[in-house]
Every structure is written in C-alpha cells, then in structure tokens.
Amino acid sequence: MKDFFVSYTSADIDWAEWIAFVLEEAGYTTVIQEWDFRPGNNFVVEMQNAALESSRTIAVLSSRYLESKMTAAEWASAFAQDADGREAKLVPVMIEKCGDAGLLNAIVQIRLYDFSEDIAKDKLLAGVSSKRRKPLVRPKFPGRQKEHPVFPGQQNDSSVSSTASVQAKKSVLPALKEKPTDLEKRKFLRSGFELVRDLFETNLTLAAEVSSRIQQDFQSISAKEFVAELFVDEKCKSRCRIWLANMAGSAESIYYYSGLSSFPENTYNESISVPTNGPLRFEMHMGFSQLLGHDSKNLTAEQVGEILWKRFTEPLSR
C-alpha cells in the first residue's frame, strides 16, 4: 500500500508534483500519474488501482478540478470508502480559492495558496499528520484584564468627594515608570533561556519524526547550557551551543554559537540580554540578518526562540 494517491487535473500538474515531492521528502510514499503511469498502461485501470492501493487520496483542489468529470470519479471513490471522515481517506488540498465544492465542503481542507513555500510545506505536512496540532509555545493571551466593576449602589457625598479628590491628585502628574528590579530581570532572563531550551528539544524531536533521513541529538550540559545537533543521512548539518553566563564582566546573558567542530570558550555568534532600563524585554546584539520581521531591541522569549531555531536550521536548506 502507498500512503497517498495524488489526484489532480492536468492544468494543476505543477502543484501536484510539488505536493508529491514534499510528501516523499518527508518519508511518505505516493502514486501520481505523471511519475507512475507509463506509456501503454490503461489509464482508467491505473487510476482505479492507485485509488484502491493507496491508504489516502489527496485531491489537489481548484476550480478546474471541480469541473473535471475524471477527477470527480477519483475523489468520489475515496469519499465512498470513508463517508464520515473518521479515517481521513480523502484530504482536499486547496491551491486556490474555489466556488461551491459540494460534498467536499464538509471535509476539513488544507489551504496552501497565499503562503510562502516554507509555510505551505509546513501546512501540508501538519495537515496530513495524524498528530495534534498543538503549538510548541504558549499562544499569546488574546484578552485583556478586566477592570474592577464600580459599586452599583448609592454612594454618600463624602465618598464621592473623596474619590474625586484622589482622581484630581492622580491627574497632576503622568504615571511614573517603574524599573524592573535586578531580581525580576534575572528571573525574566532565566525563564527565557528555559523556553528556548524547551523549544529546541521539542523541535528536534518533531524534526526527526518528519523524515526518516533526519536524526537529532540534544545534550543538556547543565541547567544553564545545552547543545543541539541535526543530521541528514547521519551526516552532521547543524550544531549549536546555547548557554547562560556572565562574560567579559557584563550582565548575565544568553549566548548562541554554531559550529560543526568544537566550541571555543568565550566565542559566540549572538548574545541576547535584558536591557538595564525600560520594561522587561530581550535585545539581540550581533545583528543576525533574519529576524523574521521582529525588532531586535524589543523581543519576547518566544521570538528569541523562533529566531535562533531559524538560524540553527538554515544550513539544511543549502
């Protein structure tokens, strides 16, 4: 049995081949007309065999696909085998905005259009995976703190005048900014390091599950230091050390260094610190070019982790 039969109309062959290639890169097996049907084969028989001998069918969904009578038979076969969608045998992958898709509207779809290639690839692989799509880091709190409700009962004159007096005093000066204490900054820095460490450990495990060609190694040297490595076909492609330390008499910071051989002492590619003034935030100092649209002087721990992971995995795309 193959993992996927890629069903498409000839006008969408570029998308179909890209989808099949990405799936096979990730370790899945596919059947696709362009690669697997040979001259002299009976087209209808090959289509029937592909649908029956594949665990799931991917429908490369476009307006042209919906208008094609041949592709209707292909996806209908998968739909008939799993009408309630419990086994996800039919996976619609939208490559453009479509009109009414009929029965296909009832099936959760993977949307690839209007995204960059990297994002589209992630969405495709996440969509066909049977795992939960829980994010690696906690989502931002979407609401805001509620103000205490005003007492709804009657107030006497003295309480009203007292409240007015307090409000008048508050309006004399703007609110004074309070600087975080050294202890608060230290705790903020260390919690940021822990988040980065957890992100790397989780992502390394996920990366190895995406493709059989990927291997990983995570070494927790101490509570303030770890080493991460990624291998492709058992050859080391990326290796980094991330640690928390005071260096050159400066305040405690997070340091990042990448290299395929040994890690020299007191050498780093990037340092991340908490500014001495202003609200709690992170700053990156070495000017890494791919900040993913973030401000290097005003970063959250999640953004630091995202940037460092991007830098760590960049050698795999070369």
Side-chain angles (χ1 to χ4, degrees):
M1 291 287 286
K2 298 288 187 179
D3 293 317
F4 294 101
F5 165 46
V6 182
S7 170
Y8 64 99
T9 186
S10 58
D12 299 323
I13 186 173
D14 290 345
W15 270 107
E17 288 194 287
W18 183 86
I19 289 168
F21 200 94
V22 167
L23 290 173
E24 293 198 4
E25 273 187 326
Y28 296 103
T29 55
T30 70
V31 178
I32 176 173
Q33 176 189 341
E34 182 67 17
W35 300 348
D36 299 303
F37 294 7
R38 311 310 308 155
N41 291 155
N42 184 306
F43 175 79
V44 176
V45 172
E46 291 298 321
M47 282 294 185
Q48 181 183 18
N49 290 339
L52 294 176
E53 296 173 5
S54 299
S55 299
R56 304 164 76 185
T57 295
I58 284 184
V60 183
L61 202 55
S62 68
S63 56
R64 298 167 295 281
Y65 187 89
L66 295 173
E67 293 166 1
S68 170
K69 293 181 180 179
M70 291 299 296
T71 55
E74 295 166 18
W75 70 258
S77 172
F79 185 88
Q81 296 177 54
D82 183 31
D84 59 4
R86 290 181 183 272
E87 299 179 39
K89 284 188 171 293
L90 179 59
V91 184
V93 178
M94 292 185 67
I95 60 170
E96 67 179 26
K97 281 189 177 180
C98 301
D100 185 7
L103 291 174
L104 291 174
N105 284 331
I107 303 174
V108 177
Q109 300 160 356
I110 302 171
R111 180 168 73 85
L112 301 186
Y113 64 90
D114 290 342
F115 294 113
S116 67
E117 182 174 5
D118 286 344
I119 295 176
K121 178 181 176 180
D122 290 344
K123 286 187 171 292
L124 175 64
L125 295 179
V128 300
S129 172
S130 59
K131 296 179 181 179
R132 293 179 69 204
R133 290 180 290 176
K134 180 181 177 180
L136 298 178
V137 297
R138 181 194 301 156
K140 291 182 179 178
F141 177 59
R144 64 178 183 179
Q145 292 184 342
K146 293 182 179 179
E147 297 179 357
H148 294 294
V150 178
F151 175 60
Q154 184 177 5
Q155 297 180 355
N156 57 40
D157 291 341
S158 62
S159 64
V160 172
S161 61
S162 175
T163 301
S165 175
V166 170
Q167 293 298 330
K169 291 177 182 177
K170 286 184 177 180
S171 65
V172 172
L173 290 173
L176 298 177
K177 293 183 178 179
E178 295 185 6
K179 294 182 180 180
T181 65
D182 290 342
L183 180 59
E184 288 172 333
K185 287 186 286 187
R186 182 188 303 168
K187 288 182 176 180
F188 180 74
L189 181 73
R190 292 182 179 180
S191 67
F193 173 80
E194 290 169 3
L195 186 145
V196 171
R197 182 187 60 200
D198 293 345
L199 174 73
F200 267 69
E201 187 172 14
T202 302
N203 280 5
L204 283 168
T205 301
L206 291 176
E209 293 175 354
V210 167
S211 172
S212 59
R213 296 183 60 199
I214 299 291
Q215 299 86 39
Q216 58 87 14
D217 187 32
F218 179 88
Q219 302 175 54
S220 181
I221 309 300
S222 69
K224 293 185 178 183
E225 180 182 358
F226 67 88
V227 173
E229 291 182 273
L230 271 177
F231 303 81
V232 178
D233 300 328
E234 299 186 358
K235 182 178 181 180
C236 184
K237 288 289 187 179
S238 185
R239 184 168 178 260
C240 77
R241 174 192 178 210
I242 299 180
W243 70 104
L244 194 62
N246 299 87
M247 291 177 60
S250 62
E252 193 173 41
S253 301
I254 299 171
Y255 295 93
Y256 172 95
Y257 180 79
S258 61
L260 298 182
S261 56
S262 61
F263 297 122
E265 287 296 325
N266 301 324
T267 301
Y268 55 90
N269 306 125
E270 186 65 71
S271 67
I272 302 101
S273 64
V274 179
T276 54
N277 297 315
L280 291 172
R281 66 188 189 279
F282 290 103
E283 287 185 350
M284 298 185 78
H285 302 283
M286 302 299 286
F288 178 47
S289 60
Q290 296 189 30
L291 286 173
L292 309 178
H294 302 310
D295 179 1
S296 64
K297 301 298 183 184
N298 188 21
L299 296 167
T300 65
E302 290 83 359
Q303 290 167 343
V304 170
E306 180 186 6
I307 292 166
L308 293 182
W309 177 259
K310 176 70 174 178
R311 181 167 188 169
F312 172 64
T313 56
E314 189 180 32
L316 274 69
S317 61
R318 295 172 188 165

